[in-house]
Structures are given as C-alpha cells and as structure tokens.
Amino acid sequence: MKTMLDKRPGVPGALAAKASKARFLIAVMLFLTVVINYMDRANLSIAVPAIADEMDLSSAQQGLLLSAFGWTYAALQIPGGWFVDRVPPRVLYPACLLLWSLATVFMGIIGGFVALIALRLLVGVFEAPAYPINNRVATAWFPERERASVIGFYTSGQFIGLALLTPVLSWLQSVLSWHWVFIFTGGVGVLWAFVWYFVYREPRDSRANSAEIAHIREGGGLVDLTASRRERTRVTWSDIATVLGRRKLWGVYLGQFCLTSTLWFFLTWFPTYLVKYRDMDYIKSGFLASLPFIAAVIGVLFSGVFSDFLLRRGVSLGIARKGPIVAGLLLSTTLIGANFTDSTTLVIVFLSVAFFGNGLASITWSLVSALAPERLIGMTGGMFNFIGNLSGIATPIVIGFLVTDASFAPAFVYMTVVTLLGIASYVMLVGRVERVRESRPVPETG
C-alpha cells in the first residue's frame, strides 16, 4: 500500500520508504579504526623518553626514531592510493590493520635502536593506505551534505583516542615498562582487523535499504565505486598529470603539509617537551598531554557539524569547507605563546587553543572528496596524504636539530611559520571548490 508520501509529485519511489541508517554504523567503524590508527602512531612518543634514558639517545637520534614512521608512510601514499582504487576496503583495510599491528607488537618484544627504527618503518608501510581508505569509504557511504560531519566525527577519533589513552599508556609504562605500551596497542589492532573484515560491506552489499542507497546517491555519494572500477591495472601518465597538474589540488596538498606539522609535533615531541623541558613525571605529563587532545576533539567535531550546517543554509561549498580550515590554522599560531611564559598552566592553555585550531581545520579530507576526480579518488587521496605527511618526516627531525638542552623555543617558531604558509596556500591556491576534471576522457570499457 502506498503512503501519502508515495503520491507526492517528484518524490522518487526509492525514497518513499523510510531510509535505513546503516551508514551510521560505518561512521562508528571508521571512528574506532582511526582511534587504533593514531594510538599506534603516538605510542612511540609516550615511550621515547624512557627509551632514550635506557639507550642513551641524543635529541637527534630521538628525532630520527620519531621520524621513521613518516618516511615509509609518506613514500607509500601514492602506491597506497593505487591499491585503494583497486582493492575493496573490506579486504585491504583488515590486511593493513593486521600487519601494522603485528609490527607494533614486535616493537615491544624486540629491543635495540636499529630494530625499533626498522619496525617503525614497517608500521608506516602498512598504515599508508589507511586515510585514503577512510576517504574512499566516506565518499561511497555518505552524501555531500553529511560528509564533513562524518569526516569530522571519524577524524575526532585520532584526538579522542590520544586524549583518553595517553594517560592510560603513561600509567602502563610506569607500572610495567615501555615494552607493554607497544604490546597492548598492537594487540588491540590485531583484534579489530578481524572485526572489520567480518562486519564491513559496500553500500549495495550491506543492510542499507534502497531508500538509504538512493539518499546517499542522490546527495552525491558514490555508492557504485566498486562496480565502476576500471579494468586496467596500471597508472597512466594522464592520471599523474591530473593529480599533479591542478593548482587547486596543490593548494590542499601544501595546506595539508602545514596543518599536519602541528599534529606531528603533538604526536612526537610533545610528551618529551613536558618531561624534559617542563620537568614533569610520566603520570603528570600523561594527564597534561591529554588536555590539548581534548581541545582538538571539540574543534574537529564542531568543524564538521558547522561546515555541513553552512552548506545546508545555502553557503557556498568553498566557504563552508575552507572557512573552518583557515580559521583553525589561524588559531594554531597561538602555540608561539609558549615561548613567552614560564607558567606550565599558560603553556597548556596556549597549546590547547592551538590544538583546538588544528582540530577545527582537520576536515581537509572533505575538500579531497569534493575536488578529486571520481575515478582517481584513491590516487588523489594518496598524493594529498603523501605531501601532507612529509611533515611526519620533517617535523621530528627539524625539531630535533633546532632544540637545545636548554631551550625548546625554536621549535615553536618553526611551526608558527609553517602554519602561516598553510593559510596562504588555502586562501591563494585552492580557489573554487568543484570536482577536478581529468586531463582527457577515459574511454568506456565493455
């Protein structure tokens, strides 16, 4: 029997039935995966003061160890994006999760400076496809007007996980040893890999009903990404020209490098800064280190919801997406205030405001979803993450060379300058937010 809604002119039949909410389970799964992903990135920053004491490491050696993840993570973003365009998330994500989690577990079992660097390089290898997969899943499962909110929600996982787990991992290290930080975090990832494989499905293969699929598709969600994959298996020069030859894409690439520089400070040097330069013990530093992450959670959740609210009120896609990003970057420059006070309380306030700004700006993947050519979403996301995460190499190493035993001030100056360059990139290079066309039409395959 048809309802009154069925009889209204212009209402598609697929939308006449009440849409299911299967996509919200997908959002929760992405959130939990990001929590684990960032827990396995940040665990070393918690352990490195104890490792440095045990192995008598210099600041430069600590910077090298902290940067090891970034070398392979950045280098493999484009190959990772290539895999994302060809291997379904149900298969690729759990495989990556299992492998990077096992490498993390072995960091707690195998000692030695060289071994830690080698295993950290492996963690970077297998985490490389993670955020392109997240973007691929969000693009398939969510309409445009919900996408910034869901990206903000799952991105908040990186901060919520760090805010809640930094004190826990610091306590675990103080009670047992730094080895257990890696064994615990890696073990959680191994378990989640199996959960993802058995639960995740593409929209048309899931419990989403036809009304929900129609809602996603008609709102700009690409529900048929898997079915529409091209048969060819190699990257062409035309693909590379498209991904590397567009000014607006370079705007988000360079902007992401500048944005993630602040993030990588918090993921690498921040606990050491509190322990060594602020003379805190591991328990107190673990608690205080969690406060900026809580501020970032508030920032990123507000950013996604506010951005989608602006879009629904008729504000242009460019302003709705770029506005929170630029405002967040401006707030991130407040971390320079830490150079002008001896008060630990004020330092935490400055850094919390800065990391709130970093969270506010962290919906940058919504721009990748909106700008990337439909057929090259994974490859564009890979390039975006590659250039952005070069900061994962640069930030730990540059800070390691800039700081002295007596002063951390040059590190904050460096990050402030980089953040200002990020603002210029989003304002001057990105331009109108619209999907990039490919360099040439792709012939249809039979």
Side-chain angles (χ1 to χ4, degrees):
M1 178 181 297
K2 292 187 177 292
T3 66
M4 291 298 292
L5 179 60
D6 295 322
K7 298 176 182 178
R8 283 164 45 191
V11 178
L15 292 177
K18 184 177 181 180
S20 56
K21 305 293 183 183
R23 64 192 185 282
F24 297 140
L25 172 62
I26 301 301
V28 172
M29 292 179 67
L30 288 172
F31 169 84
L32 292 174
T33 308
V34 169
V35 170
I36 294 167
N37 185 298
Y38 269 79
M39 184 170 62
D40 289 336
R41 297 187 195 196
N43 50 16
L44 180 60
S45 69
I46 295 168
V48 79
I51 294 172
D53 287 343
E54 182 178 308
M55 300 182 184
D56 194 25
L57 303 180
S58 67
S59 293
Q61 288 175 310
Q62 293 174 57
L64 180 62
L65 177 58
L66 289 166
S67 74
F69 170 92
W71 287 96
T72 48
Y73 183 78
L76 292 175
Q77 283 305 306
I78 297 182
W82 184 89
F83 275 107
V84 171
D85 285 330
R86 288 156 178 81
V87 182
R90 186 192 175 202
V91 175
L92 184 59
Y93 223 163
C96 292
L97 264 162
L98 181 63
L99 291 170
W100 92 55
S101 298
L102 289 174
T104 300
V105 169
F106 279 107
M107 287 185 69
I109 296 173
I110 302 175
F113 179 64
V114 174
L116 287 174
I117 288 180
L119 288 166
R120 194 66 172 173
L121 289 169
L122 284 177
V123 175
V125 168
F126 297 120
E127 281 203 19
Y131 260 72
I133 296 173
N134 294 342
N135 188 58
R136 156 70 172 75
V137 171
T139 303
W141 266 98
F142 293 89
E144 183 65 56
R145 293 191 177 191
E146 296 177 5
R147 202 169 295 151
S149 294
V150 76
I151 290 173
F153 172 65
Y154 75 65
T155 301
S156 74
Q158 69 193 42
F159 304 118
I160 290 176
L162 296 173
L164 298 178
L165 293 172
T166 295
V168 173
L169 295 179
S170 298
W171 171 84
L172 185 65
Q173 176 176 267
S174 67
V175 172
L176 298 173
S177 71
W178 62 264
H179 301 272
W180 283 96
V181 172
F182 299 106
I183 293 170
F184 172 77
T185 54
V188 172
V190 169
L191 294 175
W192 185 249
F194 291 98
V195 173
W196 181 279
Y197 178 78
F198 286 111
V199 175
Y200 180 80
R201 296 292 186 276
E202 291 292 298
R204 293 193 184 278
D205 299 325
S206 71
R207 294 183 178 180
N209 63 12
S210 58
E212 182 174 14
I213 291 172
H215 170 73
I216 296 168
R217 185 183 63 248
E218 292 170 14
L222 306 180
V223 296
D224 296 311
L225 270 176
T226 300
S228 64
R229 285 179 303 174
R230 303 292 173 180
E231 293 299 320
R232 62 181 173 78
T233 59
R234 64 185 181 87
V235 176
T236 69
W237 286 111
S238 176
D239 296 341
I240 296 172
T242 299
V243 171
L244 290 178
R246 297 293 188 274
R247 185 195 66 184
K248 61 175 72 269
L249 293 181
W250 274 103
V252 295
Y253 297 159
L254 297 175
Q256 185 70 357
F257 174 90
C258 299
L259 173 67
T260 54
S261 293
T262 300
L263 175 61
W264 277 107
F265 160 68
F266 282 97
L267 292 177
T268 55
W269 278 102
F270 184 41
T272 298
Y273 167 70
L274 294 179
V275 170
K276 182 176 179 179
Y277 294 88
R278 291 287 164 178
D279 297 321
M280 298 180 192
D281 58 36
Y282 291 117
I283 299 297
K284 186 177 181 181
S285 68
F287 169 73
L288 290 178
S290 71
L291 297 180
F293 292 119
I294 293 172
V297 169
I298 298 170
V300 73
L301 289 176
F302 173 77
S303 182
V305 172
F306 182 62
S307 177
D308 281 344
F309 168 78
L310 291 176
L311 199 61
R312 288 192 295 269
R313 292 299 296 267
V315 174
S316 71
L317 185 62
I319 293 175
R321 298 304 192 230
K322 290 194 296 182
I325 294 171
V326 173
L329 287 168
L330 282 170
L331 286 174
S332 293
T333 62
T334 59
L335 54 76
I336 193 68
N339 282 351
F340 301 99
T341 180
D342 292 325
S343 166
T344 297
T345 300
L346 284 177
V347 165
I348 296 301
V349 169
F350 282 128
L351 296 179
S352 295
V353 171
F355 217 29
F356 169 84
N358 190 269
L360 190 66
S362 291
I363 58 166
T364 48
W365 277 100
S366 66
L367 285 178
V368 178
S369 291
L371 295 171
E374 179 176 329
R375 192 178 55 85
L376 300 173
I377 288 174
M379 190 175 179
T380 305
M383 180 62 69
F384 173 80
N385 230 18
F386 164 66
I387 295 174
N389 280 283
L390 290 176
S391 63
I393 301 170
T395 302
I397 291 177
V398 170
I399 291 177
F401 280 101
L402 286 177
V403 301
T404 65
D405 289 339
S407 176
F408 202 82
F412 291 121
V413 174
Y414 165 76
M415 288 185 292
T416 301
V417 171
V418 169
T419 301
L420 292 172
L421 291 174
I423 294 171
S425 180
Y426 278 107
V427 171
M428 300 175 66
L429 296 180
V430 173
R432 181 181 176 85
V433 176
E434 58 187 0
R435 196 168 299 282
V436 169
R437 294 185 179 183
E438 296 190 46
S439 295
R440 61 175 176 79
V442 178
E444 294 292 332
T445 57

